[in-house]
Amino acid sequence: MLFHVTMDVNIPRDLSADDRAEILAREKTYSQDLQRQGTWRHIWRIAGHYANVSIFDVRDNAELHDILSGLPLFPFMDIKVTPLLRHPSAIRDDDR
């Protein structure tokens, strides 16, 4: 199943620089591993915001929930999830 996920990040200003750097390093490793696996299909930054739009390809809602709640930045995120279905007028059978 494909999901469109918008993540707005709100890291507290009083988080120490060391804690911030450590969380960001773990977040990068976690997200890049999922990208290499093909689970996190696409990620785009939203200009002018500490936010992204992503496409996930997962088995079901539960898998997406587990992935998102496992993000090191999850406690600092506002997340919006939209399930996607292939449009009947699409000319391709895949995501190219």
Side-chain angles (χ1 to χ4, degrees), residues 8-90:
D8 293 298
V9 183
N10 301 295
I11 298 174
R13 295 188 186 277
D14 61 350
L15 191 67
S16 76
D18 289 341
D19 288 344
R20 179 186 172 99
E22 187 269 332
I23 290 171
L24 292 176
R26 286 191 296 120
E27 181 82 10
K28 184 175 184 175
T29 299
Y30 185 83
S31 68
Q32 288 181 345
D33 287 344
L34 289 167
Q35 290 174 67
R36 286 184 193 95
Q37 294 168 25
T39 302
W40 197 324
R41 288 277 193 92
H42 303 279
I43 183 171
W44 295 277
R45 294 176 82 180
I46 299 174
H49 298 274
Y50 194 173
N52 73 74
V53 170
S54 296
I55 303 295
F56 285 84
D57 188 357
V58 294
R59 186 174 51 255
D60 54 27
N61 295 344
E63 182 181 11
L64 181 64
H65 175 78
D66 291 344
I67 287 168
L68 295 177
S69 61
L71 289 164
L73 285 172
F74 179 77
F76 312 119
M77 290 182 168
D78 293 319
I79 299 174
K80 180 180 176 193
V81 176
T82 306
L84 300 173
L85 300 170
R86 181 145 322 277
H87 194 281
S89 297

